[in-house]
C-alpha cells in the first residue's frame, strides 16, 4: 500500500516549496524596502534562530503529540502566519520589527512538521514495501524537486507580481500540505516508546547524539555548511542578483539550478547508490556540493557558467541527504526517533542564525567578492573529515538500529 508513502512525499514537497518561496521572497522584500545588506542578514537571523529552538525542544513534543498531528498543526500555523505578512503589508502596514516577529513565529512552528514527516518515513516505506535506501532517496528527491521548481518560480513571481504575492502562494502551500497529511496519511503509533518525562526524553536525544561519534561528526559538518548555505542563499545570492546580474531572476535561477542538479543526483544515487562506497561517495559529493558554486561567483565568470556550476554542485549534493538518512534510520532506535532527529536537526541548524549575519556584515566590511572567497574556503575546510576521520570508516559497515 504505497498511497500513504506517496502522499507523505507530496505533502513534504509542498511544505518545502513554501520554505523555498519564503527564503527567496523575504530577503528580496527586505532589500527592496530597506536597501541594507545588514538588515537582510538580520532577517535571515530571525528566520533561522527559531529553527534551532524548535528543533531542540520540539522533537520530544512530536513524539508525544504523534507524527501525523504534529505535521498537520505545524503546517496550519505556518500557513496562517505567512499569510499574515502580505495581509498586514497591503492593509494596515508592516513594520520591520513586526516582520521579524512574524518570521520568528513562522519558523518556530514549521520545524516540528519537518521532523514529524521525516520520522514517519521508515514506517510508511515499510507499509508500501519500499526499500529504505529508495525511500530516503525518494524523500530527498521530492524535496530537491520542490526546490528546483520553487526557486525559479519565486524569481519570476518577484519580478512579475512582487514579494507580497509570492508570500501568499507560500502560505497556501502550507495549508495544502496540512490537508494532504490529515486526509491521506494514517496515524502511526509508537507503541514501544516509553517516556520518562519531557526533560529526560530531551536528555536522551542529546545523549544519543553525543555517544554516536560518526553521527556527531556528520552533524558537526552540517552545522558549518548550513551556516554557510544560509549566508549564501539568503544574503549573498540576493546581492549577486541585484549588484552583479542586475536581475532578480538570477537569484531564482541559481537556486533552481542547484535544485535541478540535486534532483538528478538523488535519482542517480537512488538507482546506483547500493553499488558505491558510501564513505568515499559522501566525502567527494560533500566537497563538490559547496566549493565550486561559490568560487565561480567570486571569480566573476559569465552567468551561464555560474548556472552550470550550480547544477553540477547540486548533482553532487543529491547523494548527501539520502546517505545521511540511511545512517540515521540504521542507527536510531525506533522508540526515540523523533527526539533524536529533532536533536540532530537542532544541532545541525545551530549556527544557521549566524550565517546571514556573517554574510551581511562581512559584505558590508569587505565587499561581495571577498566574502564569496571566504565562504568558498570554509566550505573546503569543512569537507575534510570523511577523508581522514577514523569514525567515518563505520559508514562502510552496515549498522542496524535497535528495535
Amino acid at each position: 500500500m504505497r498511497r500513504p508513502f506517496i502522499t507523505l512525499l507530496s505533502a513534504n514537497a509542498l511544505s518545502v516549496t513554501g520554505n523555498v518561496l519564503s527564503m527567496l521572497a523575504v530577503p528580496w522584500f527586505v532589500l527592496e524596502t530597506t536597501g541594507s545588506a545588514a538588515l537582510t542578514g538580520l532577517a535571515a537571523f530571525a528566520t533561522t534562530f527559531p529553527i534551532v529552538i524548535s528543533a531542540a525542544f520540539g522533537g520530544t513534543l512530536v513524539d508525544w503529540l504523534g507524527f501525523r498531528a504534529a505535521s498537520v498543526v505545524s503546517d496550519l500555523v505556518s500557513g496562517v502566519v505567512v499569510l499574515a505578512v502580505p495581509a498586514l503589508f497591503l492593509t494596515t502596514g508592516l513594520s520591520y520589527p513586526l516582520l521579524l516577529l512574524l518570521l520568528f513565529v513562522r519558523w518556530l512552528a514549521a520545524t516540528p512538521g519537518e521532523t514529524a514527516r521525516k520520522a514517519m518515513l521508515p514506517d510508511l516505506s515499510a507499509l508500501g514495501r519500499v526499500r529504505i535506501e529508495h525511500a530516503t532517496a525518494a524523500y530527498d528527491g521530492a524535496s530537491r524537486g520542490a526546490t528546483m521548481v520553487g526557486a525559479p518560480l519565486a524569481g519570476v513571481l518577484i519580478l512579475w507580481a512582487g514579494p507580497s504575492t509570492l508570500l501568499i502562494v507560500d502560505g497556501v502551500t502550507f495549508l495544502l500540505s496540512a490537508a494532504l497529511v490529515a486526509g491521506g496519511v494514517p496515524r502511526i503509533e509508537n507503541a514501544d516508546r516509553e517516556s520518562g518525562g519531557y526533560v529526560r526524553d530531551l536528555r536522551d536525544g542529546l545523549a544519543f547524539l553525543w555517544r554516536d561519534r560518526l553521527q556527531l561528526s556528520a552533524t558537526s559538518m552540517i552545522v558549518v555548511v548550513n551556516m554557510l548555505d544560509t549566508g549564501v542563499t539568503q544574503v549573498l545570492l540576493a546581492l549577486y542578483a541585484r549588484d552583479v546580474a542586475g536581475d532578480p531572476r538570477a537569484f531564482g535561477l541559481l537556486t533552481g539550478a542547484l535544485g535541478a542538479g540535486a534532483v538528478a543526483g538523488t535519482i542517480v544515487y537512488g538507482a546506483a547508490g547500493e553499488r558505491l562506497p558510501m564513505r568515499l561517495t559522501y566525502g567527494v559529493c560533500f566537497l563538490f556540493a559547496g566549493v565550486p558554486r561559490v568560487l565561480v561567483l567570486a571569480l566573476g565568470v559569465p552567468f551561464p557558467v555560474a548556472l552550470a556550476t550550480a547544477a553540477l554542485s547540486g548533482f553532487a549534493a543529491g547523494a548527501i541527504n539520502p546517505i545521511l538518512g540511511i545512517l540515521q534510520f540504521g542507527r536510531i532506535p525506533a522508540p526515540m526517533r523523533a527526539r533524536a532527529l529533532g536533536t540532530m536537526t537542532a544541532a545541525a541548524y545551530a549556527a544557521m542564525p549566524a550565517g546571514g549575519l556573517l554574510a551581511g556584515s562581512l559584505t558590508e566590511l569587505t565587499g561581495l567578492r571577498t566574502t564569496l572567497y571566504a565562504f568558498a574556503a570554509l566550505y573546503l575546510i569543512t569537507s575534510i573529515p570523511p577523508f581522514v576521520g577514523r569514525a567515518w570508516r563505520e559508514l562502510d559497515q552496515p549498522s542496524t538500529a535497535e528495535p
Side-chain angles (χ1 to χ4, degrees):
M1 183 179 178
R2 295 190 176 183
R3 182 176 295 177
F5 175 70
I6 295 172
T7 299
L8 177 70
L9 297 185
S10 302
N12 195 62
L14 280 169
S15 186
V16 170
T17 300
N19 290 339
V20 172
L21 297 181
S22 283
M23 287 180 180
L24 272 69
V26 170
W28 198 266
F29 177 81
V30 176
L31 277 175
E32 192 177 71
T33 54
T34 68
S36 170
L39 290 180
T40 304
L42 184 58
F45 177 86
T47 295
T48 52
F49 182 61
I51 296 176
V52 180
I53 298 174
S54 186
F57 298 100
T60 300
L61 294 177
V62 170
D63 265 334
W64 285 13
L65 186 60
F67 300 154
R68 185 180 69 171
S71 178
V72 171
V73 172
S74 173
D75 279 341
L76 284 176
V77 174
S78 298
V80 170
V81 174
V82 168
L83 290 173
V85 174
L88 290 171
F89 178 73
L90 296 173
T91 55
T92 61
L94 179 65
S95 66
Y96 183 74
L98 180 56
L99 172 64
L100 294 183
L101 176 61
L102 290 173
L103 289 176
F104 187 92
V105 174
R106 174 253 191 272
W107 287 101
L108 192 70
T111 309
E114 179 183 345
T115 300
R117 286 186 293 275
K118 190 171 183 179
M120 285 189 277
L121 184 61
D123 297 292
L124 294 182
S125 65
L127 181 65
R129 297 181 179 179
V130 179
R131 287 175 58 90
I132 191 63
E133 294 88 352
H134 297 160
T136 56
Y139 187 84
D140 188 58
S143 299
R144 302 284 193 181
T147 301
M148 178 183 68
V149 174
L153 175 64
V156 171
L157 286 176
I158 288 173
L159 185 65
W160 287 354
S164 294
T165 300
L166 182 56
L167 287 170
I168 293 173
V169 176
D170 177 13
V172 172
T173 63
F174 282 108
L175 299 182
L176 291 175
S177 175
L180 276 177
V181 173
V185 175
R187 180 177 299 173
I188 297 172
E189 299 290 348
N190 195 351
D192 295 329
R193 194 183 90 82
E194 296 181 1
S195 175
Y198 179 84
V199 174
R200 180 177 174 181
D201 287 352
L202 185 63
R203 187 173 63 246
D204 287 346
L206 291 168
F208 174 81
L209 178 58
W210 181 254
R211 289 193 305 266
D212 192 323
R213 296 302 179 184
L214 174 55
Q215 296 209 74
L216 183 62
S217 178
T219 302
S220 299
M221 292 175 65
I222 299 298
V223 168
V224 180
V225 167
N226 280 349
M227 177 190 73
L228 298 175
D229 284 348
T230 300
V232 170
T233 302
Q234 299 196 17
V235 179
L236 299 183
L237 286 186
L239 291 171
Y240 175 87
R242 187 191 68 176
D243 299 339
V244 179
D247 189 335
R249 287 174 295 185
F251 189 6
L253 285 172
L254 285 169
T255 308
L258 187 71
V263 170
T266 301
I267 293 172
V268 170
Y269 183 80
E274 298 175 26
R275 299 187 292 274
L276 298 174
M278 195 174 294
R279 178 170 65 92
L280 182 61
T281 301
Y282 186 85
V284 171
C285 288
F286 205 98
L287 174 65
F288 283 94
V291 176
R293 63 188 174 96
V294 178
L295 186 60
V296 294
L297 297 181
L299 293 172
V301 302
F303 183 71
V305 177
L307 205 60
T309 304
L312 291 173
S313 288
F315 184 84
I320 293 175
N321 284 342
I323 291 175
L324 285 176
I326 294 169
L327 173 64
Q328 291 165 353
F329 295 132
R331 297 165 76 101
I332 300 174
M336 62 181 303
R337 189 182 299 150
R339 75 191 96 147
L341 289 174
T343 300
M344 291 176 185
T345 300
Y349 289 179
M352 283 178 64
L357 294 176
L358 176 64
S361 301
L362 192 57
T363 301
E364 292 275 4
L365 292 172
T366 67
L368 178 60
R369 176 166 293 186
T370 301
T371 302
L372 288 168
Y373 277 125
F375 271 56
L378 289 172
Y379 274 117
L380 177 61
I381 295 169
T382 308
S383 303
I384 294 174
F387 299 103
V388 300
R390 179 177 300 178
W392 283 90
R393 298 173 188 171
E394 299 176 26
L395 199 57
D396 288 323
Q397 303 171 4
S399 178
T400 303
E402 299 172 18

